[in-house]
Amino acid sequence: MSPTPDLIILNGSLLTFDDATPRATALAIQDGTIVAVGDTDDIRSQAGNGTKIIDAAGGTVMPGFIDSHVHLFGGAAELGMLDLRETVGADALTKALRTYAAEHPDEPLLMGVAADYEILGPGVKTTRQDLDRILSERPVALMSADHHTVWANTIALQKAGILNGAVVPPGSEIVMAGDGTAQGQLNETGAFGPVLRLSQLGGRDLLGYVTGADPEPPATPKERAFDKEVILRGLNHCASHGITGLHNMDGNFYQLELLSELEAEGRLPIRVQVPMHLKNTDSLDRLEEADEMRRRFTSDMVWSGRVKMFMDGVLDSYTALMLAPYPGKPDSLGDAVFSAEHFNEACIRADAMGLQLSTHAIGDGAVRRTLDGYEAARNANGARDSRHRIEHIELIDPLDLPRLAGLDVVASLQPLHSPAGGLFSPYPAGDILTAEQIPFAFAWNKIRESGAKICFSTDWPVVPVDTMMTVAGAVNCTELPSPWQDNRQSLTATLSAYSHDNAWIEFNEHRKGRLRPGYMADIAILEQDLFSIDEDQLANARVATTICRGVVSHGS
């Protein structure tokens, strides 16, 4: 006699991604595994006295969302920081900062996040003096939405020890004023890391992003307990959006340890993969840490096995690496974080160890250099099922499109990064991108048509971790002026790229990403049937219940 299910879901519109049973209305779960998929009457009959019953009430039931590009610790910390996403102009910034300061009298660093590059107005560069006029007696820092630039006031720069400049790693910059002092703008992690250490978290939330190292000196028991609760708050926030899995894009042993402690305590609501972050300043011997992470952390809830690298910066600060100079900047190709030789050798060594690679590459020059590194690894080690990834690909040269599929490279894309997603304004032709480049910017359809594998994610906290906002951004797409292209995605393809396909990318397609007997019971239940509502209402659709490993992590 079959065991009584722990939980059954009835009256749903199931999107299974299983060719054997593409559509159904109910499923049953036992011991964290899906044990039956079928119609409501059949599944209802399996219920026993102890079975929990969830009525999906006609809503879409699908594999849980897997957000394949997030910065968990930083995103979790930012939930308690000043959100400047809708703040425009000096008056609005003044009101927001002073109000936040009054509400947080003991915060050692007043941190605003999601700040626009032109938060003070079109064409206005934010300086330390601008921030001093708002608040001069307490350290203030504003983080750009893309997390590649920080603006700080004078006292923050003084306390960080960089008011008069400092030596920073290649690719980072303390922008200097004519008087020999810091202007206030800090580009990339090597420049703004010292300012972040002034916060209540001591910069521990971004260590995996800034250095990839652990806290030094080591976090105290009190700090570890505090940090763990911050991370848990972020995980619960993700679960509220139907997310059952995360691929972190920064990492260190510290995050892996805190997540493993939450798992041991029975409090971890989401599965998380954490990579080893290899910096351009690191010896390649550091890759042994990636191997140690893979060996030490092997549960279904917390694991590693991946190396993250950065190849360039971002378009807005002209630090994305380009093949041709930026318009109006004949001497600027952006910044290459790794030299070609260093990157190629890193790829060869990591690939030889059987590790997966994910590399931030935004400009077409960075994409080409990343492809060159992956090709060097394949030539040196032979072809294997590596599923190496390129993160972002905001601009690609047409000659490199066929190389993605040719090298079996995954295009890891973020719909809300594109101006078509509705959060950010399009670049006018001739500003950052030329009219010839724009058709190959955020070129989701061209990448799909090339035969390359695609996955979707958010890059939280660069954009909100709201899954349905991202789904709407991919499906609806704001109409942009020529020469921008129409990159609208189908709803089914978008949901697949945000769940089923991301299970494949993490080598778990045999047990995750489908509603199928024998698969992990990681499930999202929406309040509505996504295929029955108007597409312009997708962003308003909400998650009713999230289930991870057969346990309800959000909802009831």
Side-chain angles (χ1 to χ4, degrees), residues 81-99:
M81 296 178 185
L82 174 61
D83 187 351
L84 296 172
R85 198 173 303 277
E86 303 296 328
T87 304
V88 179
D91 290 346
L93 179 60
T94 298
K95 180 179 179 181
L97 271 176
R98 289 180 177 172
T99 300

Side-chain angles (χ1 to χ4, degrees), residues 306-326:
R306 184 163 50 85
V307 174
K308 168 70 185 297
M309 292 181 279
F310 279 85
M311 182 52 73
D312 65 347
V314 291
L315 292 171
D316 294 86
S317 61
Y318 301 93
T319 54
L321 181 63
M322 310 297 259
L323 293 173
Y326 286 94

Side-chain angles (χ1 to χ4, degrees), residues 186-199:
L186 309 169
N187 295 329
E188 303 299 337
T189 58
F192 59 67
V195 169
L196 301 184
R197 287 196 288 272
L198 301 175
S199 76

